């Protein structure tokens, strides 16, 4: 795992070094540069050595030095691709580097290479034969890549901080439209970022840049879409068996490492399933598993993680997270997340990565299971929400929402008042808006107050609305699956996982996001993902022989933190200044939250993540 940066246009080696230095945490094991002053092309790389430690330095070139790449990620099917390319006459210099597959694969297949890659990646590939630079990102956005057009040329990097080190973007103006959407979603939907002149390359896309003219074209090579009318052959038992086999293969590919490797373990279905497959492939006692616990019982899952570890026999470690730890991390928050993120579970995820990094360099996670197999609570209420939406008149709905808002806020995880208020705030609008409003940290009315200006709900959630309306799927469950996978997974979960892990120089791999697993899930009917009110039904059936019964059947908790209570126990001055947000409204929200009159945890967290970003606003 690594960090990449570079630019086309004005600059020098010192500038390139400044950009790669900003990514040193992503690659502490080495650095590399390529500079073509005649064509003003600069490529930089920071390396975290995991595969082919001796021969994996970058930039990496083909035989004649005309195609080179700087790469962040891991190509899991690199051995199979290497065999195919060698058979076609390509000569490899490295022993088993996955990076070198990219340069020879580009020579052989061009942009079609991207569809062949099974992995997590972001790379910049220079083709000196055609004077092109290709920026590309994996299917699910596991690895980040940002770019910007400015007066000095085109700049790209793995993180915003490296782009802001370039003079063209050092005084980047924040984008009010993007900040509004951040408050609405809790993340920046690609291609948006906090800054007007900087874009996030969307997952499943490549940007082709002509070096001579600096003109660019965006290509989409893949998008997650449900194809339930193309269901795999067989019956329920066959599907469960096939899923089990696909996960075994996926975990096997992700155990490939020349450095120590471990497993993140929450005690939930997804991570427990991954551990069970790993224990089938390696001696269980050789597997390191890691968990984070909380002193607040309704949030703590560490006892279940320990039970699963004991069940398979892994070497297990647990670290506890409390308010004092979280408070200490707040000053580090901007550097940890790099871009604002409304998901407060970045804190325990960061601590888990920091804890695991003391012992391993690579870790497997259960990310992606909820999105592919309908694991979140909103899936269970979709049918009832549809009945409510059709049957309850708007005035009655408004009265019910007002009553729910008066309920005393509870600090417990997924408390009744929390679920009622979140659910009701979306049901007065059309179904295309339910998921983003349920998920979002602040309601549209709260956003209007925070910005001290009216907001257009259709514009606020335009990305989610467009995706919903253009979906080929007709069912609520399938469209909701597409929302969570194309938006929440890519722009929240993957951002959280990447920033928390790479700030600790740790590589995290997600077996559920394997190409074959995801393609299989896309073709399964929703009735086997959500069945009789049971989420992830087919995954549970697949894992039935692997997990203890109580772990298999228990309700999902989610990797949340006791944020509502923690905010009450923090001093008011921790809020500081948040650009664009009305100070008086923010102070009122803080007081209402402190006095238990309202639950404003989502809005207050977003303000915390924005507060130390004070570039000019344009």
């Amino acid at each position: 795992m690594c960090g990449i940066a570079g630019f086309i246009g004005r600059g020098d080696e010192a500038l390139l070094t400044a950009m790669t230095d900003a990514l040193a945490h992503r690659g502490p094991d080495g650095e590399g540069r390529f500079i073509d002053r005649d064509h003003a092309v600069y490529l930089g790389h920071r390396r975290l050595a995991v595969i082919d430690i001796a021969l994996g330095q970058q930039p990496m070139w083909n035989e004649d030095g005309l195609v080179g790449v700087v790469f962040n990620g891991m190509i899991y099917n690199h051995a199979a691709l290497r065999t195919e390319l060698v058979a076609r006459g390509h000569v490899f210099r490295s022993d088993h580097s996955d990076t070198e597959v990219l340069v020879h694969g580009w020579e052989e297949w061009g942009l079609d290479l991207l569809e062949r890659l099974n992995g997590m990646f972001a790379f910049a590939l220079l083709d000196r034969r055609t004077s092109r630079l290709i920026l590309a990102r994996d299917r699910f956005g596991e690895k980040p890549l940002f770019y910007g057009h400015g007066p000095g040329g085109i700049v790209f990097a793995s993180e915003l901080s490296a782009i802001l080190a370039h003079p063209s973007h050092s005084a980047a103006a924040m984008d009010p439209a993007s900040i509004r959407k951040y408050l609405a979603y809790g993340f920046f939907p690609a291609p948006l970022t906090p800054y007007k002149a900087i874009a996030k390359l969307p997952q499943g896309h490549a940007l082709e840049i002509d070096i001579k003219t600096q003109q660019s074209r965006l290509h989409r090579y893949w998008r997650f879409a449900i194809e339930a009318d193309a269901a795999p052959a067989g019956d329920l038992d066959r599907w469960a068996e096939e899923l089990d086999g696909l996960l075994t293969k996926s975990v096997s590919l992700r155990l490939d490492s020349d450095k120590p490797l471990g497993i993140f373990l929450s005690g939930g279905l997804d991570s427990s399933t991954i551990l069970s497959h790993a224990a089938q492939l390696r001696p269980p006692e050789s597997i390191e598993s890691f968990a984070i616990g909380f002193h607040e019982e309704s949030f703590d899952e560490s006892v279940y993680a320990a039970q699963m570890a004991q069940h398979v026999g892994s070497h297990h470690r647990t670290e506890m997270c409390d308010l004092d730890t979280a408070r200490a991390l707040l000053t580090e928050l901007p550097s940890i997340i790099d871009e604002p993120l409304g998901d407060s579970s970045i804190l325990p995820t960061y601590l888990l990565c920091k804890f695991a990094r003391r012992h391993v360099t690579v870790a497997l996670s259960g990310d992606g299971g909820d999105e592919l197999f309908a694991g979140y609570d909103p899936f269970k209420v979709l049918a009832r929400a549809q009945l409510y939406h059709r049957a309850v008149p708007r005035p009655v709905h408004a009265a019910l929402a007002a009553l729910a808002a008066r309920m005393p806020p509870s600090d417990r995880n997924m408390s009744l008042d929390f679920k009622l208020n979140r659910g009701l705030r979306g049901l007065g609008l059309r179904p295309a808006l339910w998921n983003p409003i349920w998920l979002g940290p602040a309601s549209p009315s709260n956003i209007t107050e925070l910005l001290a200006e009216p907001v257009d709900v259709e514009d606020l959630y335009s990305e989610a609305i467009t995706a919903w309306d253009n979906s080929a799927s007709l069912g609520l469950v399938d469209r909701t699956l597409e929302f969570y996978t194309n938006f929440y997974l890519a722009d929240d979960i993957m951002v959280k996982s990447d920033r928390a892990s790479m700030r600790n120089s740790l590589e995290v791999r997600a077996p559920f996001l394997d190409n074959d697993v995801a393609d299989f899930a896309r073709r399964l009917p929703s009735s086997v993902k959500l069945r009789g009110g049971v989420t992830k039904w087919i995954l549970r059936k697949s894992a039935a022989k692997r997990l203890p019964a109580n772990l298999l059947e228990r309700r999902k908790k989610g990797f949340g933190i006791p944020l509502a209570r923690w905010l009450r126990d923090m001093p008011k001055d921790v809020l500081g200044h948040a650009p664009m947000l009305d100070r008086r409204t923010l102070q009122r929200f803080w007081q209402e939250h402190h006095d238990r009159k309202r639950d404003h945890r989502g809005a207050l967290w977003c303000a915390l993540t924005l507060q130390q970003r004070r570039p000019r606003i344009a």
Side-chain angles (χ1 to χ4, degrees):
M1 202 59 59
C2 307
I4 64 174
F7 54 93
I8 303 170
R10 297 196 301 268
D12 55 24
E13 185 173 1
L15 175 54
L16 183 62
T17 299
M19 293 179 67
T20 55
D21 283 352
L23 303 172
H25 54 279
R26 300 185 71 93
D29 297 332
E31 58 184 318
R33 301 182 190 88
F34 168 77
I35 297 173
D36 181 346
R37 291 183 175 84
D38 292 337
H39 297 93
V41 176
Y42 297 77
L43 305 179
H45 184 261
R46 294 290 311 212
R47 187 184 185 207
L48 177 64
V50 172
I51 295 291
D52 201 351
I53 295 169
L55 300 174
Q57 294 86 355
Q58 298 183 40
M60 189 171 286
W61 299 90
N62 67 339
E63 304 96 317
D64 57 16
L66 294 179
V67 177
V69 70
V70 286
F71 165 61
N72 169 29
M74 176 71 187
I75 307 300
Y76 302 116
N77 63 335
H78 68 94
L81 291 173
R82 177 185 284 246
T83 298
E84 185 176 355
L85 289 164
V86 168
R88 291 172 178 259
H90 293 269
V91 178
F92 283 72
R93 297 178 180 177
S94 66
D95 179 64
H96 58 285
S97 169
D98 59 326
T99 307
E100 195 172 1
V101 163
L102 298 176
V103 293
H104 296 296
W106 174 261
E107 288 181 286
E108 187 67 35
W109 299 304
L111 283 170
D112 290 341
L113 163 69
L114 298 171
E115 295 181 14
R116 296 170 179 262
L117 298 177
N118 187 358
M120 54 178 180
F121 58 84
F123 63 76
L125 185 143
L126 176 63
D127 189 335
R128 301 170 75 185
R129 305 167 305 178
T130 58
S131 295
R132 286 186 295 170
L133 181 71
I134 309 298
L135 305 181
R137 198 165 175 227
D138 64 69
R139 292 182 174 198
F140 290 102
E142 291 184 72
K143 294 293 103 186
L145 191 54
F146 300 91
Y147 65 96
H149 292 259
I154 297 175
V155 184
F156 69 89
S158 296
E159 296 184 8
L160 288 170
S161 57
I163 291 187
L164 295 174
H166 193 283
S168 294
H169 297 283
S170 58
M174 296 189 80
D175 183 2
S178 293
I179 300 300
R180 284 195 292 271
K181 288 182 180 288
Y182 172 60
L183 295 172
Y185 289 108
F187 53 79
F188 291 92
L192 299 180
T193 75
Y195 305 104
K196 276 190 171 183
I198 304 175
K200 182 193 309 180
L201 185 65
Q203 71 274 20
H205 281 70
L207 186 71
E208 184 179 11
I209 304 168
D210 185 309
I211 292 171
K212 295 178 181 177
T213 65
Q214 296 191 14
Q215 297 297 306
S216 62
R217 287 192 301 163
L218 192 64
H219 303 269
R220 191 181 81 186
Y221 68 88
W222 193 83
R223 180 176 176 82
F224 181 86
I226 299 296
E227 296 181 10
D229 57 346
D235 55 15
L236 295 179
D237 290 334
R238 172 70 180 274
W239 290 348
E241 183 180 340
E242 186 173 351
L243 176 56
D244 188 74
L246 289 172
L247 285 172
T248 296
K249 179 183 176 183
S250 174
V251 171
S252 177
L253 289 172
R254 284 156 182 79
L255 291 175
D256 180 15
S257 174
D258 294 336
K259 289 286 188 76
L261 180 146
I263 311 280
F264 288 164
L265 186 59
S266 69
L269 174 62
D270 300 337
S271 62
S272 296
T273 299
I274 297 305
L275 176 60
S276 73
H277 284 276
Q280 174 187 337
L281 296 162
R282 286 189 175 184
E285 65 275 8
S286 71
I287 298 174
E288 302 271 358
S289 56
F290 304 92
I292 284 287
F294 298 94
H295 297 295
E296 292 84 349
E297 183 181 350
S298 69
F299 289 85
D300 185 52
E301 295 184 285
S302 60
V303 62
Y304 300 108
Q307 181 187 349
M308 184 61 199
Q310 185 177 22
H311 178 72
V312 302
S314 64
H315 184 207
H316 188 65
R317 294 181 171 91
T318 302
E319 180 140 300
M320 302 303 289
C321 177
D322 56 22
L323 173 61
D324 290 337
T325 308
R327 184 188 288 117
L329 275 178
L330 285 179
T331 57
E332 299 179 45
L333 195 60
S335 63
I336 292 172
I337 61 178
D338 186 61
E339 60 180 308
L341 183 65
D343 187 342
S344 61
S345 67
I346 182 71
L347 292 181
T349 305
Y350 172 82
L351 291 171
L352 177 61
C353 292
K354 185 176 183 179
F355 175 40
R357 186 61 177 91
R358 298 176 205 156
H359 308 279
V360 299
T361 307
V362 181
L364 272 57
S365 79
D367 288 341
D370 287 319
E371 291 78 13
L372 293 178
F373 297 101
Y376 293 115
D377 280 345
F379 285 100
K380 295 188 288 187
V381 301
L382 286 171
R384 281 174 284 172
Q386 192 171 40
L387 287 173
Y388 176 99
H389 181 70
R390 290 172 177 170
V392 177
R394 279 180 174 257
V396 176
H397 166 76
L400 290 172
L403 282 173
R406 294 193 181 96
M407 294 178 68
S410 169
D411 291 341
R412 291 186 61 81
N413 190 24
M414 298 303 293
S415 60
L416 177 62
D417 67 286
F418 177 83
K419 290 190 285 189
L420 279 176
N421 279 291
R422 282 294 181 105
L424 287 170
R425 79 183 187 188
L427 288 179
L429 302 167
R430 62 190 180 104
L433 289 159
W434 292 352
N435 288 300
I437 290 180
W438 286 343
L439 182 67
S443 67
S445 60
N446 284 162
I447 295 171
T448 294
E449 291 181 272
L450 284 168
L451 297 174
E453 63 182 29
V455 295
D456 182 335
V457 174
E458 295 282 320
D459 178 67
L460 204 58
Y461 303 99
S462 59
E463 297 83 4
I465 293 170
T466 298
W468 184 277
D469 290 344
N470 292 341
S471 173
S473 301
L474 298 177
L476 286 175
V477 174
D478 283 342
R479 289 188 180 192
T480 299
L481 282 164
E482 290 178 353
F483 167 80
Y484 273 100
T485 303
N486 289 319
F487 290 97
Y488 183 56
L489 177 65
D491 293 321
D492 183 306
I493 300 298
M494 293 295 96
V495 172
K496 175 180 68 176
S497 177
D498 176 82
R499 302 310 187 278
S501 60
M502 294 312 297
R503 179 56 58 173
N504 291 290
S505 305
L506 178 77
E507 177 173 311
V508 174
R509 302 172 179 176
F512 280 108
L513 300 184
D514 180 86
N515 288 6
D516 292 338
V517 175
D519 286 340
F520 178 75
R522 289 193 308 120
R523 293 182 290 120
L524 287 174
S526 61
S527 60
V528 302
K529 299 170 186 172
L530 181 67
R531 192 175 184 87
V534 177
T535 58
K536 294 189 283 196
W537 184 88
I538 191 68
L539 181 59
R540 295 177 197 276
K541 184 175 178 62
S542 172
K545 295 180 181 179
R546 294 180 172 275
L547 310 186
N550 68 316
L551 295 188
L552 195 67
E553 297 167 3
R554 77 183 189 88
R555 292 174 58 88
K556 177 181 176 62
K557 272 196 177 185
F559 196 41
I561 65 172
L563 181 64
R565 185 180 73 77
W566 287 3
L567 285 171
R568 287 192 195 95
D569 291 340
M570 289 182 182
K572 183 183 288 189
D573 60 9
V574 76
L575 202 57
H577 169 73
M580 283 190 56
L581 303 189
D582 182 73
R583 183 181 291 273
R584 290 185 178 181
T585 299
L586 204 52
Q587 293 297 327
R588 175 168 59 82
F589 277 19
W590 183 276
Q591 197 62 51
E592 288 176 349
H593 186 88
H594 183 272
D595 295 342
R596 289 181 175 271
K597 292 181 179 179
R598 295 287 189 274
D599 182 354
H600 290 305
R601 75 184 84 171
L604 293 173
W605 176 264
C606 285
L608 281 171
T609 64
L610 284 169
Q611 67 177 2
Q612 294 192 35
R613 295 178 176 272
R614 303 186 185 183
R616 62 190 178 89
I617 298 171

